[in-house]
Amino acid sequence: MIGVSGVRGIVGEDLDPELVAKFAAAFGQFLAGGLVVVGSDTRPSNEMFRYAIFAGLLSTGCEVVDLGICPTPSLQLMVTGLEAKGGIAITGSHNPAQWNALKFVRPDGLFLYPEQIQKVLGITERRIKRVSWDHIGKVRREDSAIENHLKKILPLVDQQEIRDRHFKVVIDGCNGAGALITPELLRRLGCEVVKINCEPHGYFAHPPEPTRSNLRELSQIVESEKADIGISHDADADRVGLVTEKGDILPEDYVLLLAAKFILGKKKGLVVTNLSTTQALDDLAADFDSRVRRTKVGDVYVARCMRKEKAVIGGEGNGGVIVPEVQYARDGIAAVALILNYLAQTGSSLSLLASSLPRYYMVKRKVKIRPKGFPPPREYLKEQFRAARFNFLDGVKITLDQGWIHLRPSGTEPVVRIISEARTRQEAENLCRMGMEKVLKIDPLDKLPFGSKR
Ligand code: MG
């Protein structure tokens, strides 16, 4: 499956070493040789794919730098640091262990743009040009990615202020690539670190997505250890989930809200996020005399826009924060540093900081249809939703007085995703139903969408 940032699939079904070698070779040809940085999360299939990628890259005249197990943001930083031509992250990210994926990185550290992915795909469909035997490059091992990343993050926070608080932190490394770097970051910031699932073997103790249902163990241990905060990453550590000192699991989008509030308190400027992220971010930005720019869904769109508009902070509602001083990439480790700095600076508890955020309710559904002519004609929508504001950048987003609805066909599954948000759960549910009835023209009661908990 080809997504906005790379190729992904189930190991042995969609993804095998031959296909992976072919994509790596196509990427090598696309780059026209040069230095390519390769790293992976901890999944058991990575070793197999790593060698396939080396073979593909070497066959097209690339030199390979092997980072071994490495968080995706650390890899992105190495691409720019080594002035490489590109990078490949082998990571299924938040997907279960049987999944894997390749993410291709540009020389500027951003993921390959969708139009560039199409070019790489085009190369796989033709005969790949291999270099002659005497132009085949070498693989060199490099172990400095984590140290390099920490050196970039630490100077951005008030380290002494954080050390003075002697935070007790529980880190759930999810047996992923964040299992090494984040405990080390915490240690250097003077925290007492309690580690769970920090063996980077890739047999995940729970699905590697930092969402509510996967953070229960962390929540219990934060409570029993009387810790100040609980932190969890996905398998490649570009995302973060948070647990308060009371053991409460915070909604995913609070990570971006807290990071943005901390940064906006220090400097005014633009915040960038995608169309499906909470309105709370706009409310926050307004409090600080700043504003929010919205992009299509996908971190590459957010990163591109942030760089173009010189945003001060950005990211997505899934716990992925982009800190421009580090790089234009979602960075779970940098996000942790900012949040600890925010806690230290305010002298407050995480639950108190969380309770000060604007509160909304979000409802997310997906409906298994591929409607013809989506979205419907604008005249029709304007008729159905009088006094609404529309955004057609990515599907259709409809903003009404009581909240908003965003309907968007998925890029990877034959479904339409519906997200609505309002001040109360009931209102958000009503908006979601309204979207199904009026935009998708289906009866929500008749056709119960899967993924729904009703
Ligand atoms: Mg990830």
Side-chain angles (χ1 to χ4, degrees):
M1 279 180 271
I2 316 292
V4 282
S5 57
V7 188
R8 69 183 196 115
I10 293 175
V11 178
E13 287 179 27
D14 317 296
L15 275 189
D16 56 34
E18 290 82 1
L19 184 74
V20 163
K22 195 177 187 181
F23 267 98
F27 184 56
Q29 183 176 323
F30 170 79
L31 298 175
L35 200 66
V36 181
V37 178
V38 180
S40 69
D41 70 24
T42 55
R43 278 158 224 267
S45 59
N46 284 344
E47 200 69 353
M48 170 176 82
F49 290 138
R50 180 194 308 275
Y51 289 105
I53 285 171
F54 291 170
L57 288 171
L58 294 173
S59 77
T60 50
C62 296
E63 297 285 335
V64 175
V65 175
D66 173 20
L67 303 179
I69 290 174
C70 178
T72 301
S74 312
L75 178 143
Q76 288 171 274
L77 212 48
M78 284 301 274
V79 170
T80 49
L82 293 171
E83 295 181 7
K85 282 285 260 321
I88 300 180
I90 315 167
T91 173
S93 192
H94 59 277
N95 292 296
Q98 66 269 33
W99 284 81
N100 214 331
L102 308 186
K103 285 186 159 186
F104 300 105
V105 182
R106 293 156 38 100
D108 58 7
L110 269 70
F111 290 122
L112 223 53
Y113 294 172
E115 57 273 23
Q116 293 176 316
I117 298 267
Q118 288 308 314
K119 278 198 180 148
V120 173
L121 184 65
I123 296 172
T124 64
E125 286 158 2
R126 296 191 298 271
R127 193 183 160 85
I128 293 170
K129 295 185 199 100
R130 315 283 180 174
V131 296
S132 62
W133 65 270
D134 53 343
H135 286 86
I136 295 170
K138 290 206 160 30
V139 179
R140 130 171 110 79
R141 176 76 190 201
E142 179 59 62
D143 290 317
S144 61
I146 285 180
E147 189 57 38
N148 176 61
H149 196 177
L150 291 175
K151 276 199 180 122
K152 190 94 185 179
I153 293 171
L154 285 166
L156 299 180
V157 293
D158 190 332
Q159 298 177 52
Q160 198 52 51
E161 200 169 45
I162 300 173
R163 282 194 202 104
D164 289 347
R165 282 284 304 267
H166 305 292
F167 288 121
K168 185 170 187 181
V169 184
V170 185
I171 166 79
D172 178 350
C174 202
N175 310 113
L180 301 175
I181 187 170
T182 301
E184 181 58 21
L185 173 87
L186 297 169
R187 197 188 60 75
R188 292 195 197 178
L189 291 172
C191 302
E192 184 186 340
V193 186
V194 179
K195 297 196 278 186
I196 57 170
N197 306 321
C198 281
E199 292 298 321
H201 51 53
Y203 293 92
F204 305 133
H206 53 74
E209 185 165 25
T211 49
R212 175 167 295 274
S213 56
N214 298 330
L215 299 188
R216 296 214 177 94
E217 183 192 8
L218 177 63
S219 148
Q220 281 163 9
I221 294 175
V222 167
E223 253 193 300
S224 64
E225 289 283 342
K226 298 191 173 25
D228 296 294
I229 182 171
I231 290 165
S232 182
H233 290 301
D234 67 334
D236 67 330
D238 57 350
R239 290 169 57 182
V240 185
L242 295 176
V243 170
T244 73
E245 78 288 355
K246 293 178 177 166
D248 292 330
I249 301 164
L250 294 181
E252 286 174 86
D253 51 14
Y254 277 36
V255 181
L256 177 57
L257 294 175
L258 290 166
K261 198 168 175 187
F262 173 62
I263 292 291
L264 291 173
K266 297 203 295 182
K267 56 186 162 191
K268 210 169 120 171
L270 188 70
V271 182
V272 178
T273 191
N274 67 46
L275 284 169
S276 283
T277 305
T278 177
Q279 165 72 24
L281 196 57
D282 304 71
D283 296 5
L284 262 186
D287 287 345
F288 290 97
D289 225 3
S290 295
R291 42 195 190 89
V292 177
R293 175 76 54 89
R294 301 269 175 175
T295 69
K296 287 169 88 162
V297 175
D299 54 346
V300 68
Y301 298 110
V302 177
R304 271 164 95 164
C305 179
M306 283 181 68
R307 187 172 62 181
K308 183 160 171 267
E309 305 291 340
K310 299 189 171 53
V312 293
I313 188 90
E316 296 180 302
N318 59 9
V321 177
I322 300 175
V323 185
E325 283 107 328
V326 180
Q327 59 180 338
Y328 291 101
R330 286 194 310 204
D331 189 331
I333 302 101
V336 167
L338 291 189
I339 283 161
L340 289 178
N341 202 168
Y342 189 25
L343 280 172
Q345 185 194 284
T346 53
S348 182
S349 64
L350 184 58
S351 60
L352 213 62
L353 292 184
S355 68
S356 76
L357 295 171
R359 193 157 174 115
Y360 287 92
Y361 290 85
M362 204 179 261
V363 171
K364 297 180 186 179
R365 300 271 190 273
K366 53 182 181 179
V367 184
K368 203 173 186 174
I369 52 163
R370 178 72 82 183
K372 284 202 181 90
F374 179 87
R378 294 181 187 199
E379 300 68 41
Y380 166 83
L381 288 171
K382 282 174 185 159
E383 188 100 332
Q384 295 293 317
F385 299 93
R386 290 177 189 281
R389 280 183 291 127
F390 296 91
N391 185 321
F392 295 97
L393 188 62
D394 191 358
V396 57
K397 184 173 178 179
I398 303 161
T399 306
L400 298 146
D401 283 344
Q402 66 269 40
W404 56 266
I405 323 160
H406 185 199
L407 298 104
R408 186 175 70 86
S410 162
T412 48
E413 306 171 76
V415 300
V416 171
R417 295 184 192 285
I418 309 170
I419 300 182
S420 62
E421 190 184 58
R423 284 284 180 190
T424 66
R425 174 158 294 280
Q426 193 52 52
E427 268 182 324
E429 290 282 2
N430 290 344
L431 284 171
C432 187
R433 263 204 296 280
M434 207 190 280
M436 285 187 217
E437 279 166 2
K438 293 187 172 181
V439 184
L440 300 180
K441 297 168 198 166
I442 55 172
D443 180 351
L445 295 176
D446 169 48
K447 188 165 184 167
L448 195 66
F450 72 91
S452 146
K453 288 204 179 92
R454 283 190 291 146

